[in-house]
Amino acid sequence: MRAFTFERAESVRAAAESASNNPEAKFIAGGTNLLDLMKLEIEVPTHLIDVNGLGLDKIEVTSEGGLRIGAMVRNTDLASHETVRRDYGLLSRALVAGASGQLRNKATTAGNLLQRTRCPYFYDTAQSCNKRMPGSGCSAIGGVTRQLGVIGTSEACIATHPSDMAVAMRALDAVVETTRPDGTNRSIPISDFHHLPGDSPHIETALEKGEMITAVTLPKPAGGMHIYRKVRDRASYAFALVSIGAIIQADGTGRVAVGGVAPKPWRVDAADAALAKGAKAACAELMADARPTDDNRFKIALVERTLAAVIEETRDKP
């Protein structure tokens, strides 16, 4: 790990200003992803800004009847919160599926959204990776791609986004709240927050330099049955081959978001509209533009089978 300087921010704006003034700065909260990347010298910040003491650790009901989740709320506290478990069960289930208890005790809401891909070529500094070193190429293309993306990818990158929580947030129509270095605030729909790679896969989110996540807001509860189903190579805290986050109403209509298949949580309006017709119809819309490799072509069928299991689960329950 390379040497770095450190400060504890006194306010959100001060943190954003500090990050803006130092091009090699990074915010740190739980550090569950950042510190690992620093040890591997994939991330090499020269300055860390501790944002834990800024009072962003509260969960509050909004005036519209939704929920405002502070950026520093720990995953454990969010998953176990009474309102989240009752009204946003999809989020609670996704968080519990996402990591061990030790990690959930440290990981934060904002950090979960910002975690970087677990593509093995990103983590192997001997390999070319356009996320790690823009313009160097993508060793994953033509390599071992079983775990990697089948849709939303590009000629520059086929990595997937690793977050389980983000899949639930996408199905719930969350909005990411931020503060810029000049003190102005911004609200970014979760659908626009994560970028597809295109020819610049190193630009992963809509955040500007120094912009800091302060909260994530959820609309009023959607009702229906909330299900999160994750398919992985082992039962113990592996990243998803495919995951399904669904909210399904009594008449079979609903919303579905997919993880493990794309560079961002994958949701398609046409798939939501087709959900009442069954898994096959919804999956045809979800995977309409898929470009799988021979290694990961199975993911398309796996999405359909997993969604079918989710739909069947809703029928089995009163």
Side-chain angles (χ1 to χ4, degrees):
M1 184 183 290
R2 299 187 189 181
F4 57 87
T5 54
F6 178 86
E7 70 172 296
R8 288 191 173 91
E10 296 181 354
S11 69
V12 171
R13 182 170 181 179
E17 285 180 340
S18 181
S20 178
N21 292 333
N22 188 335
E24 303 301 326
K26 290 283 184 181
F27 300 122
I28 187 167
T32 58
N33 187 205
L34 178 59
L35 291 177
D36 284 343
L37 294 174
M38 289 174 66
K39 291 172 185 177
L40 294 169
E41 296 191 0
I42 294 170
E43 293 276 12
V44 287
T46 60
H47 186 63
L48 293 183
I49 305 164
D50 184 347
V51 294
N52 281 294
L54 302 180
L56 303 176
D57 57 353
K58 298 177 177 59
I59 302 173
E60 303 167 308
V61 176
T62 67
S63 58
E64 294 81 17
L67 209 62
R68 187 174 189 272
I69 303 161
M72 297 302 113
V73 172
R74 307 292 163 169
N75 286 179
T76 293
D77 296 331
L78 184 57
S80 62
H81 192 273
E82 181 181 359
T83 303
V84 175
R85 294 180 64 190
R86 183 186 66 231
D87 296 333
Y88 304 95
L90 173 56
L91 177 56
S92 182
R93 292 179 176 92
L95 285 163
V96 171
S100 67
Q102 294 94 326
L103 286 173
R104 293 198 303 271
N105 287 343
K106 293 295 292 181
T108 63
T109 300
N112 199 311
L113 291 176
L114 293 172
Q115 63 182 301
R116 306 200 69 187
T117 183
R118 265 53 178 198
C119 172
Y121 296 95
F122 172 75
Y123 271 81
D124 184 351
T125 55
Q127 302 288 336
S128 299
C129 174
N130 288 317
K131 277 187 178 294
R132 185 170 14 87
M133 186 177 294
S136 64
C138 177
S139 292
I141 296 175
V144 179
T145 58
R146 182 174 182 275
Q147 297 277 353
L148 303 180
V150 299
I151 196 164
T153 57
S154 73
E155 296 300 322
C157 181
I158 59 172
T160 57
H161 194 272
S163 173
D164 292 279
M165 185 195 81
V167 176
M169 292 291 194
R170 181 68 181 93
L172 290 165
D173 289 326
V175 175
V176 181
E177 296 182 1
T178 70
T179 295
R180 294 183 173 110
D182 63 2
T184 59
N185 300 320
R186 190 158 68 121
S187 296
I188 308 169
I190 191 72
S191 57
D192 299 328
F193 183 75
H194 296 106
H195 283 180
L196 294 179
D199 58 4
S200 54
H202 61 291
I203 303 174
E204 297 177 342
T205 72
L207 293 176
E208 300 167 0
K209 180 60 184 174
E211 190 172 11
M212 179 179 161
I213 298 173
T214 54
V216 176
T217 57
L218 301 176
K220 63 181 182 181
M225 186 170 292
H226 290 219
I227 297 176
Y228 189 77
R229 183 169 290 223
K230 181 176 181 179
V231 182
R232 45 193 164 183
D233 282 327
R234 66 177 192 272
S236 177
Y237 306 115
F239 293 99
L241 286 171
V242 162
S243 63
I244 299 287
I247 303 171
I248 301 180
Q249 306 299 332
D251 61 0
T253 62
R255 314 170 188 172
V256 57
V258 186
V261 298
K264 62 188 291 185
W266 196 252
R267 185 176 167 197
V268 177
D269 290 343
D272 288 356
L275 192 58
K277 299 177 183 177
K280 188 177 184 65
C283 185
E285 299 292 350
L286 281 166
M287 298 287 109
D289 298 319
R291 298 194 305 167
T293 68
D294 290 341
D295 284 350
N296 63 22
R297 193 175 304 278
F298 73 94
K299 285 192 176 189
I300 297 175
L302 189 56
V303 169
E304 183 178 333
R305 290 200 300 270
T306 306
L307 181 56
V310 166
I311 293 171
E312 187 64 28
E313 185 175 345
T314 68
R315 293 171 179 164
D316 289 344
K317 294 181 179 180

